[in-house]
Every structure is written in structure tokens, then in C-alpha cells.
Amino acid sequence: MKIMSINAGSSSLKFSLFNMDNEEVIASGLFERIGIDQSKYKIKYGDEQISQEIDLPDHAVAVSILLDKLIDLGIIKSLEEIEGIGHRVVSGADVYGQSVPITDKVINDLIAFKDFAPLHNPAHVLGIEAFKKVLPKIPMVAVFDTAFHQTMDEISYLYPVPYRWYKEYKVRKYGFHGTSHRYIALTLANELNRQDLKIISCHLGNGGSITAIKDGKCIDTSMGFTPLSGIMMGTRSGDVDPSIIPFIMEKEGKNASEVIDDLNKKSGFLGLSEYSSDSRDIEDGALEGKANCILAEEKFVRTVVNYIASYYVLLGGCDVLAFTAGIGENSINTRMKIVEKLACLGFQLDVEANNVRGQLQKISSKDSSSMIYVVPTNEELMIARDTLEIINR
Ligand code: AMP
């Protein structure tokens, strides 16, 4: 059975086509610069890869080309082979606690939630509409980044601000990266054959979030109303005192959105190091002794460790500390620095085992109080699994 997983952005469309019998990717690719000049696509299948510059005036054209190419390249024989399509959706607000079949009501809700994900939700709707137009009969499923976090209690999700803001405007913590954190929780439950785990899941990529998980459910997470809060990230500040915003507005003659833009795009690794948003450059710079890179690296580690420590207390301990996403899966050095700072809680790495990139592996020593794992995330597969499960109901 073949299922397609889609991540539609405002000018892009990323896809993975899975054979769900063995959960392997048959083909994957990216359509870029949709609706602007120099649009192009690339498709990978087996050991082959093709790419082409081609006019992509809108998402529907991109979807038609994608489906034609899947047939032309012999990846599928007919479109009927694709039995379902799962769409990544950033915000399901506080309405969707799990993945759902896409209906007109769901589409209207996604449009209504655009205030909570202004860059993403309208783009997802473009992707959904494009598939509806080209493949009107195929069942589609929405998989929300926020859904996994809907199990937080109000102590976790409410901010200590006027309660009216929550009642009237739904100002609360929503959390993001939920599909990734859910994948980590499921993978560890399968790996350890235990459902009753206290997990601290660290998704450390260009964007990053940390989630406290108990018995497979999210208890708290570091991102909030938007993906700007929590730990320091590639270009995002993470948590800062909001009074900085009017202060900088005044100093630099900017409006609030311009300062928020600075916090989203000019902060984090990039802002503090004045060098790069990419953790590899920061690591290299730190090794060369660049003071600004050392500072950025230390600050990142500190913000991550602070969340881990606070979730350790919230969960009343931790069975597994998990590292995932670009930095979490690949940066041996960053994992070492983080775990070193957690020694007072009994966390201990096995240095040899930690010498690993991008594969599921236990990296804690036998004396560690908690297990520590590297778990490669796979949001696309999680979307495909949900889609299969829902269309089989
Ligand atoms: P993501 O957003 O999950 O793609 O992660 C991007 C981040 O992962 C960037 O900061 C990269 O520098 C980092 N990253 C990717 N590969 C490596 C690697 N081999 N070693 C260290 N960091 C890496």
C-alpha cells in the first residue's frame, strides 16, 4: 500500500511516497519557488535523482507535474496505487488533539487558525486544495504539529497573564514539533517494550524544542504560543523578557513586527555569534577559539540543560533522555556538553557509544541514572502512518 506524505509551504511542496508494507521511501522530492521565477523540482527514487527548472505558477501545477513524473519515471504504474495522502499542518489550535480525515470543515478550521500560524496554515491549505483539484477522490488526512501537545494540563499551557486573553483570544501555549516528539516517544516505547516511560525528548535542529512525555503523553513543551519561545535556536532567540521589544522599538525606531522578526531571524546562534546560524560553523569556530562562537555554544547548551532539568523535576525523574533532529542526531560534541552539565542528576554518557550520527542508539553508560538515546526523527513516516491508520478505519 502506498501513502504520500506532504509538507506544503507558501512557495514549496515537499513529498515522500512510502510503501507502507515495509515503511520504506519509494520516492521523495521538493518543488521550489512555486509562483515565483526560476521554479524547479527534484525527485529522488532508488539510486536515481532528477531535477528540472520548470514553470510552476501554482501548487496545482506542481502536483500535476509530480503525479505525471511518478508515472513517467515508473515509480508507480497508475495513480490508483496511491491510497492516501497525509498533510503536515502546523497549527490545529486547541481543536485538534489528533490527526483527522480532511473535510471541508477541517479546511475551514485551518483557515480560521491562520492567526496562530500565519506563514504555514494558509500554505497547507494551498497544498490540500491542489491535491483535491488533481485527485478529488483520494482520502486525505491532516497531521498537526500541535496535536501531541494537547494533553498538557492548564498549568502547563496557560500563561500567567490576564485570563481574559485566553478566553477571548486563545492566548496559550500550543507547542510545536509534536509529530517529531510523538515519533520519538513511540520509537522508544517499541525499542524498550515499555509504555510507562518518562521521556525528555530534545528536538535540536535549526528550530528546537524540548518536551516532557509521560506514558506516551505530552506533559509540557518548550515552544509556546508560537515557535519563537523555549530554547535558543539557529536564528530564534527562544525565551526572552518581552520588555525588550518596546525597548528596542524605541531605540531603533522599529515597529513590533520588525523586532519580532529580529527575534525570529537574527537571534539565536546567528545573533549571539554574529557569525552563523549553523551549529556546525559555531562548533568549528569554537574549536578555533572564536570567543563569540564559544559563547553561543555555551548559551545554547545552558538553555537546553535548563529545560531538561526543569522537566526532570516536573516528571519526577526521567527514564530516557532522547536527542533528535540535525544537532541532536549528529553533534557528538553538543550531546557531550549537555550531558556533562547533567552529571549532578546522574546522567552519564558512554563516550564510545556517543560516537554516532543519525542512528538509533543508546549512548548512556551502564552507571547512568537515566538511559540516553539518539533517535533519528521521521515526521514524514509518522504522517504516513497516521494516514494509513485513519483510512483503514
Ligand atoms: P534540522 O533543522 O533538523 O535540519 O537541523 C539543522 C541543524 O543541524 C543545523 O544547525 C546543522 O548545523 C545541524 N547539523 C546537521 N548535521 C550536523 C552534523 N553532522 N554535525 C553537527 N551538526 C549538524
Side-chain angles (χ1 to χ4, degrees), residues 120-150:
H120 292 99
N121 270 26
H124 303 322
V125 173
L126 288 176
I128 291 168
E129 295 288 6
F131 275 96
K132 250 179 87 175
K133 191 169 161 192
V134 183
L135 288 177
K137 296 215 178 82
I138 197 154
M140 297 204 285
V141 168
V143 180
F144 304 92
D145 283 14
T146 47
F148 183 60
H149 303 302
Q150 280 297 304

Side-chain angles (χ1 to χ4, degrees), residues 203-207 234 269 277-281 283 324-332 334 357 377:
H203 179 112
L204 309 179
N206 189 36
F269 278 125
S277 64
D278 191 300
S279 74
R280 280 167 291 199
D281 297 339
E283 265 186 55
T324 194
I327 301 172
E329 290 170 31
N330 295 298
S331 178
I332 295 162
T334 307
R357 295 182 203 274
T377 195

Side-chain angles (χ1 to χ4, degrees), residues 35 82 98 103 108-109 122 151 199 219 242 248 316 360 373 379:
I82 304 172
Q98 53 198 359
T103 59
N108 289 335
D109 281 348
T151 49
I199 299 171
I219 305 295
I248 296 297
L360 177 66
Y373 268 84
E379 288 158 282

Side-chain angles (χ1 to χ4, degrees), residues 139-166:
M140 297 204 285
V141 168
V143 180
F144 304 92
D145 283 14
T146 47
F148 183 60
H149 303 302
Q150 280 297 304
T151 49
M152 282 186 287
D153 68 10
E154 61 180 7
I155 306 173
S156 286
Y157 73 66
L158 285 179
Y159 291 110
V161 296
Y163 191 64
R164 194 174 56 78
W165 295 2
Y166 168 61

Side-chain angles (χ1 to χ4, degrees), residues 220-353:
D220 203 352
T221 191
S222 61
M223 281 180 168
F225 181 65
T226 72
L228 176 56
S229 64
I231 60 169
M232 170 176 152
M233 300 173 228
T235 61
R236 282 173 252 173
S237 61
D239 300 333
V240 292
D241 182 340
S243 307
I244 293 171
I245 297 170
F247 181 79
I248 296 297
M249 284 166 68
E250 172 90 32
K251 290 280 177 205
E252 302 209 336
K254 290 181 168 168
N255 63 33
S257 341
E258 286 168 332
V259 181
I260 290 286
D261 215 49
D262 288 348
L263 294 175
N264 267 307
K265 298 187 186 144
K266 296 185 182 156
S267 300
F269 278 125
L270 179 64
L272 210 47
S273 70
E274 298 185 311
Y275 183 61
S276 173
S277 64
D278 191 300
S279 74
R280 280 167 291 199
D281 297 339
I282 300 294
E283 265 186 55
D284 292 347
L287 284 174
E288 289 162 20
K290 290 194 169 79
N292 46 349
C293 293
I294 296 171
L295 172 67
E297 194 173 66
E298 292 296 328
K299 183 70 186 177
F300 175 73
V301 168
R302 174 109 22 123
T303 67
V304 170
V305 167
N306 284 350
Y307 267 99
I308 295 172
S310 105
Y311 289 163
Y312 186 94
V313 174
L314 179 68
L315 290 169
C318 169
D319 295 308
V320 193
L321 174 66
F323 289 101
T324 194
I327 301 172
E329 290 170 31
N330 295 298
S331 178
I332 295 162
N333 181 48
T334 307
R335 290 194 301 255
M336 202 168 68
K337 284 184 177 299
I338 292 168
V339 177
E340 267 172 14
K341 297 267 192 297
L342 295 166
C344 60
L345 294 175
F347 288 86
Q348 235 180 66
L349 270 188
D350 176 327
V351 176
E352 290 262 299

